[in-house]
Amino acid sequence: MGSGLNGAAIALPLDEIVAGLRVARERWRTSQQRLQEVGGRELPSREALREIVDRLSGVLFPMRLGPPDLRHESEDYYIGHTLDAALQSLLQQVRLELRYQARHDAHRQRDVEARALDLVRSFGGALPAIRVLLDSDVLAAYRGDPAARSVDEVLLCYPGVLAMIHHRLAHQLYLLGVPLLARLVAESAHAQTGIDIHPGARIGPGFFIDHGTGVVIGETAEIGRDVRVYQAVTLGAKRFVTDEDGQLHKGGARHPIVEDGVVIYAGATILGRVTIGQGSTIGGNVWLTRSVPSGSRITQAQSREDVREDSLVAPLA
Amino acid sequence: MGSGLNGAAIALPLDEIVAGLRVARERWRTSQQRLQEVGGRELPSREALREIVDRLSGVLFPMRLGPPDLRHESEDYYIGHTLDAALQSLLQQVRLELRYQARHDAHRQRDVEARALDLVRSFGGALPAIRVLLDSDVLAAYRGDPAARSVDEVLLCYPGVLAMIHHRLAHQLYLLGVPLLARLVAESAHAQTGIDIHPGARIGPGFFIDHGTGVVIGETAEIGRDVRVYQAVTLGAKRFVTDEDGQLHKGGARHPIVEDGVVIYAGATILGRVTIGQGSTIGGNVWLTRSVPSGSRITQAQSREDVREDSLVAPLA
Amino acid sequence: MGSGLNGAAIALPLDEIVAGLRVARERWRTSQQRLQEVGGRELPSREALREIVDRLSGVLFPMRLGPPDLRHESEDYYIGHTLDAALQSLLQQVRLELRYQARHDAHRQRDVEARALDLVRSFGGALPAIRVLLDSDVLAAYRGDPAARSVDEVLLCYPGVLAMIHHRLAHQLYLLGVPLLARLVAESAHAQTGIDIHPGARIGPGFFIDHGTGVVIGETAEIGRDVRVYQAVTLGAKRFVTDEDGQLHKGGARHPIVEDGVVIYAGATILGRVTIGQGSTIGGNVWLTRSVPSGSRITQAQSREDVREDSLVAPLA
Amino acid sequence: MGSGLNGAAIALPLDEIVAGLRVARERWRTSQQRLQEVGGRELPSREALREIVDRLSGVLFPMRLGPPDLRHESEDYYIGHTLDAALQSLLQQVRLELRYQARHDAHRQRDVEARALDLVRSFGGALPAIRVLLDSDVLAAYRGDPAARSVDEVLLCYPGVLAMIHHRLAHQLYLLGVPLLARLVAESAHAQTGIDIHPGARIGPGFFIDHGTGVVIGETAEIGRDVRVYQAVTLGAKRFVTDEDGQLHKGGARHPIVEDGVVIYAGATILGRVTIGQGSTIGGNVWLTRSVPSGSRITQAQSREDVREDSLVAPLA
Amino acid sequence: MGSGLNGAAIALPLDEIVAGLRVARERWRTSQQRLQEVGGRELPSREALREIVDRLSGVLFPMRLGPPDLRHESEDYYIGHTLDAALQSLLQQVRLELRYQARHDAHRQRDVEARALDLVRSFGGALPAIRVLLDSDVLAAYRGDPAARSVDEVLLCYPGVLAMIHHRLAHQLYLLGVPLLARLVAESAHAQTGIDIHPGARIGPGFFIDHGTGVVIGETAEIGRDVRVYQAVTLGAKRFVTDEDGQLHKGGARHPIVEDGVVIYAGATILGRVTIGQGSTIGGNVWLTRSVPSGSRITQAQSREDVREDSLVAPLA
Amino acid sequence: MGSGLNGAAIALPLDEIVAGLRVARERWRTSQQRLQEVGGRELPSREALREIVDRLSGVLFPMRLGPPDLRHESEDYYIGHTLDAALQSLLQQVRLELRYQARHDAHRQRDVEARALDLVRSFGGALPAIRVLLDSDVLAAYRGDPAARSVDEVLLCYPGVLAMIHHRLAHQLYLLGVPLLARLVAESAHAQTGIDIHPGARIGPGFFIDHGTGVVIGETAEIGRDVRVYQAVTLGAKRFVTDEDGQLHKGGARHPIVEDGVVIYAGATILGRVTIGQGSTIGGNVWLTRSVPSGSRITQAQSREDVREDSLVAPLA
């Protein structure tokens, strides 16, 4: 008696805990001035987005990220079928975000359906161009890493490439006006790779991130062609600007511009709306809060001066 | 012949490998002075804890982390049912840890059942308060990040919030005397977010971690209200103290105290039982091994002096 | 009308997107001078390797990483059965990589089957020795962390131990000539722990990584016995050597040698083919690009000199 | 070459088969005078109905057909949550059938949503009465079978009870105007038990089917209280009536009326709109096409006469 | 508004239905004089039994009903591991039934654990003998069916063999005193094959059921060696005996004895404690309620006489 | 002690049972004169065939048996992709059966691969014609059942249609020389519907089976166009012919020929190589062992004579 699988669990005061949680939720909803809510959950789903990205990865690279038993002869069948499933599922998520955006605006609620369709159509139409960009990233990784044996290996193994597949899809969603979906895609990559790229960041072709853990790239960063970045690099903002009444000033370009062909070694921190000129090299662990001209080679020794000058900037992204 | 699915696998010397592994296990058990063990596995399960936390996340935030088709009308049914399942499952894991703790002590074995029940009841009773704390963390994230568009987005996307849901549950388990379960929960968050908070750390309301990858917070750290921390921040111990015979001295407060309203920027390292006074700002990449008064603004230039003074401390957590 | 689950999705231009993607693939295949490919996917599978490692983890530590309901009495049955499944599955993956390696060489294609079998047999035969090495790593973690309560806890919770289980299996695959499989195993650990160890790295017994997020260890690193390493440590290469026509010079020992008993604290960066002498201690955040003799204690203050001297090295792994 | 997992599959003429199937579908659609169809599948789903019935079984008998770890304390939470999920899912299926019914009638399409809601509400409201009826069936089975040891065993094991759970739910759907959903539920029982009860059949409380394989009960059958039926019993129609132009005359009462307390032994066939008077016993393998008064005991010998008289009737249901 | 996935479901009166169901349950519990029940479900699980039988099928015939990738070299590992899992799971189910049996008897509750263990040990010990019996059944099927091409085909395809695997396991459980578990196993076969053999039936080696749908064999039937039976054969009881107060008289031998080498063709019905003498043949659709001597050949014409004599018997099993 | 989840399971004598089973297997293998077997399982898989049929059902009727979210626009993509997967999987099963057929004939082993490919190609090529046949069966069901409301309902709900989908696929496999695969498909239908059609039976277009439980149709039966059959109908063989030494005489036409437009009511049994002339009606429960001319209407009364004449035939299929 009292032993065994479900033993003495009798006295769990479920009703009490359920009531306690209800009170806590009501307190929150009151504090947030939420009207008495009815109906279902109105938010997009992390898991749904994850599955959509998985499917789109297969659509983009069928023979390498598609199902193991796929064959060239049936590639297009697989792609068409999977694409349809992915886009239909995306359509539902887009509806959820658009409705959520318009939750206080009955007028905008009305055209959610039409806008969702337009958006998903545009997104689908952008996929071939995204594939071309990703091919350039794969090639960049292959050329940039002495250990890489083939482009196939790069696509299969490199977390930096996984992060870029997510980013290029997320960026498209961001541009099309569904930033929450974009963010969910970006955070999925972050969780898998430790690479945290804001979906707003604009990144040219041939981008390569090696190792990657700890990389942070901010919303308004702009990165040119053939840039290479190593683990723990931050392209961040300086301290936030607050307006008179202490509110954070949101928006506005506040992250670095990195021009074509720049290489940034591990642990370097570049902050603020500065420009790293074309072809520059930024050494490991460098701390940089000013622009540098094309062809610069910045080392820690140099950057220490920078630290003294600019002591209270803070690496944010 | 020899081709095909299961081809020439005939000669796998399974018996030999199995025997080799048995020898290795026996060697280990002997070296660890384990008695001839019988019976089943006595350890809690990573997967079980992961599922428990998933369920409790739904219980705490039903409309945002619960099932996608949940509706307000049935919230309490969902919560009650899921809570029951989660707590029953937790009860089994608690039994496993308590039995494990008491494995050399027949006396303590006897009251495992009663203690397990008390513990799970207390844990369940703490959930409403945990929800209130987490609400404050969500608000802090929303207020602290210029990119955040709504509290819902924060709860859905931010790894720092995910880490805090885990931490506040893990900390409760830690306080109730099941540190191994607590650790499993913490490591689950670590794996998903790159944020490594020891379940022993005491953290006040309104805590916000941005980006988060590489954050390490040690067991005896104490953090006040409304503290903000960025990626790669370490709140660690200095070198361990060893006693005369070279054994590590375990326990004892050895991590920083961070007072209310402090902000610590990315990459900063704060080591030892020092106090960061209320409202201070610690700049990016700062290395700090001494206390600073309220309202301090510490930058790298200043902290470099600190490095010279205190050259052999080592960032541990 | 127009509302509901599958609403107005009618106009998705699937054919057009499928065609666009086909053009993009052909462009890529042409640019890569790939012959008209036929047949199935020829690459190993991430998921398959992940499952193989899961099974082998259970085979190596049946009572702690095997199924929750395993019992001592049936350990060997479980091991034999699981080992068989894992090795048969590995055999398929090995075939895929060997065929891929030999894809331009009809001669080598012919003995893929025989080589695959030899390789898997060798791999299986190495498992008992791998278990012995891993036991030493577990003990090192237990002894090295003041918070560890038991070796069981260490094996269950510590990401550093998880990373080492992967590494010791991956390293064996690397030695046996299937570097792509090895890399897939290593990246699986990287994704779960944030610890990035190249499968080529040679690591002695009793290796302990604490916290671990951000650790990077390069391909030709050599690490002795009883070495301890903390989060965000890099054992990397300096800048790559390029030959006259700008091609990366691949291969060649280019990462540090770390002798027995060395401790390297969090955030330290050690670059190039330097030797850290036996029993040395490298402080937190140290930047080191030269060899140090046995028993050295290196701190940031000292290493800053080093930075000035050697300004354009870059932490790579 | 040509051996192995995906061997020589190259030449599968997928395009040709796909085209052949398209032609066959078009031929069918033309022959059925279907307009060029667009949009998604409009039919309810077998699997969805199966899951709904599973959930409702748990809702009706939580401690015996609910989840194995259910506890009395949380019964209502389980029921509320599961009921909500089941009814929401049913609502979707009801919409599909109502839309399908109205597919040629734009007018009726318009109120599908309102009717679906009403219907599901009515259905939910009928569940307590269905439970009461099913309790009477369970008791009847317990009392009618000398081998039954407890009512719990009956509910857990008896295919006749499983069939009645399905029937009482299906009959309710039939009454509410969704005969296709009702039929899907009935066929699910048929597949599991070999018992084929048309959802239109009206069956009083305390109905017991023993063994059950081969039982067929037709659409307009009416069965009183406390009736008992054994395997391979048919309550069917005689030959269908066709009208002048040879079309089947659909509808109309054409199956037997079985009054209270009747017992019908295995293999008996009763055909047409006949009445089996209260308390009668129909022997095994009897063939009966005429009414019998209350208290009759019909045997094969007697029924043979019946056969001669009525030679071309045919057992249909 | 009101459209879409979770549309107008708002008004589902969950609370009301839940309350209605609670009343219905209470009514039932009162009518059944059940004390206020607490704690968890005490009944065995259909699904658990199904999984146990699946595992035991693999254990008994590893190369034909075990996992598709099993190999001779690892047969014993597979068997040992699977057997352990199956018997541990069976042990839990046995505990549940024994506790249920003793639910009104505190004294018997006490030794449930010891009896459960004994029972499972005995059951495990009987498996080799069960395999030998099943081999005889497989051979009988192979020899008895002109369409059978190999014993492997028989084991893989024949529902009669599937039914006998279940029966021989169920009969063992029945003999060991867990009739509810036995019944669950039998009903699982019934659902899959339409063959309904009571677990109490005693059946000699070399038993073959062809086609099988509709076969019913009662609890006290006794069947000799090398008997063959076709679809829709009933070995049943006559009408139940009721005692003075109308209660069914339970127990007592009431089904046929079928001696060695008998063949019973499709649709035959044999009722009551009669004996079918060795080597007899019973023709299709025969109705038989009397014993026949060895070597009889019974046809419909003859059995019609039987019908006239014995007009109110009824085929029960 | 002794209580709890894995309680007193210690003493399970696994080794002993495993050894006992090994002895039983060896005894069997010896008795069957099986050589010492090595390698893997050589038999096709029930589950694999079931999945293949599920996929082909979707391929044949995409909008009604395909995935619930399928849309007309993407039908061909779905079909091509699913067909490829189904046929590749079928190819593996065909290889297994062909190798098994040739297990004693090294010569035939050699061309297994080529024959398997030819066979699967032929099978794929036959699918459009199979769809056309099935359309005729669906129409027949719709026209033959007064309760049917639409062809869609028929396809979705009717077990007779499910059985015919299986049969038409199984028959094709039978014709192509893989009778074991054919049988597995047929038995899958049998298990789901209680309808047992041997894959060898030749059945014309427009075949309709109503209710279906207990129907048995033998290997050499030949059925014309537009035949209708009800539950429990047998088209069987008479007693098997044995040759001089008592061996069953296998093969040879031994089941009925049923000409165009015949209707056979429930429970009728027709045995032997007799011909039922065009347009005949066979009444319920009729027992028939002789041919009848076109346009016959056979009733029980008439067929009883038949019984007397032909007393020892037995319904086999």
Side-chain angles (χ1 to χ4, degrees), chain C residues 163-306:
Chain C
M164 286 310 292
I165 293 174
H166 283 74
H167 176 67
R168 300 215 181 272
L169 295 170
H171 184 58
Q172 193 66 30
L173 293 170
Y174 178 92
L175 292 178
L176 289 168
V178 279
L180 181 50
L181 301 189
R183 184 69 181 260
L184 284 164
V185 171
E187 286 301 339
S188 171
H190 187 188
Q192 293 174 75
T193 64
I195 298 170
D196 182 355
I197 311 180
H198 193 286
R202 293 164 54 189
I203 304 183
F207 186 59
F208 172 43
I209 305 169
D210 203 3
H211 305 296
T213 308
V215 164
V216 178
I217 300 177
E219 182 172 13
T220 63
E222 295 180 30
I223 297 176
R225 315 176 64 89
D226 300 318
V227 169
R228 210 155 82 223
V229 153
Y230 290 84
Q231 70 266 26
V233 160
T234 296
L235 302 181
K238 291 191 193 178
R239 182 180 304 274
F240 298 130
V241 182
T242 49
D243 53 28
E244 294 136 41
D245 52 347
Q247 290 294 94
L248 281 171
H249 182 75
K250 302 200 175 196
R254 59 195 185 278
H255 300 95
I257 295 167
V258 178
E259 294 186 350
D260 298 352
V262 169
V263 179
I264 309 178
Y265 285 106
T269 301
I270 307 179
L271 303 177
R273 191 56 165 186
V274 301
T275 298
I276 308 302
Q278 191 176 334
S280 295
T281 299
I282 310 299
N285 275 11
V286 159
W287 172 275
L288 199 62
T289 58
R290 56 177 167 82
S291 295
V292 300
S294 296
S296 302
R297 317 193 74 182
I298 307 298
T299 66
Q300 284 195 70
Q302 293 161 300
S303 72
R304 286 300 145 193
E305 304 310 314
D306 192 70

Side-chain angles (χ1 to χ4, degrees), chain D residues 63-64 66 72 75-76 79 88 117 121 132 143 145-146 148 150 152 157 159 211 213 230 265 299-300 304, chain E residues 8-9 11 22 25 29 34 37 39 41 43 100 187 190 196 239 248 250 287 304 307 311 314 316-317:
Chain D
M63 295 306 292
R64 286 171 289 172
H72 277 286
E75 252 181 332
D76 279 352
I79 291 172
Q88 299 297 344
L117 273 167
R121 259 185 230 123
V132 171
R143 288 178 184 152
D145 181 2
S150 72
D152 297 316
C157 300
H211 305 297
T213 308
Y230 291 85
Y265 287 106
T299 66
Q300 284 195 69
R304 289 299 144 195
Chain E
R22 193 186 313 117
R25 286 200 309 278
R29 285 168 188 165
R34 301 211 166 185
E37 298 183 56
R41 183 164 119 164
L43 292 169
Y100 180 77
E187 285 301 339
H190 187 188
D196 182 355
R239 183 179 304 272
L248 281 171
K250 303 202 173 195
W287 173 274
R304 288 299 144 193
V307 167
S311 62
L316 306 168

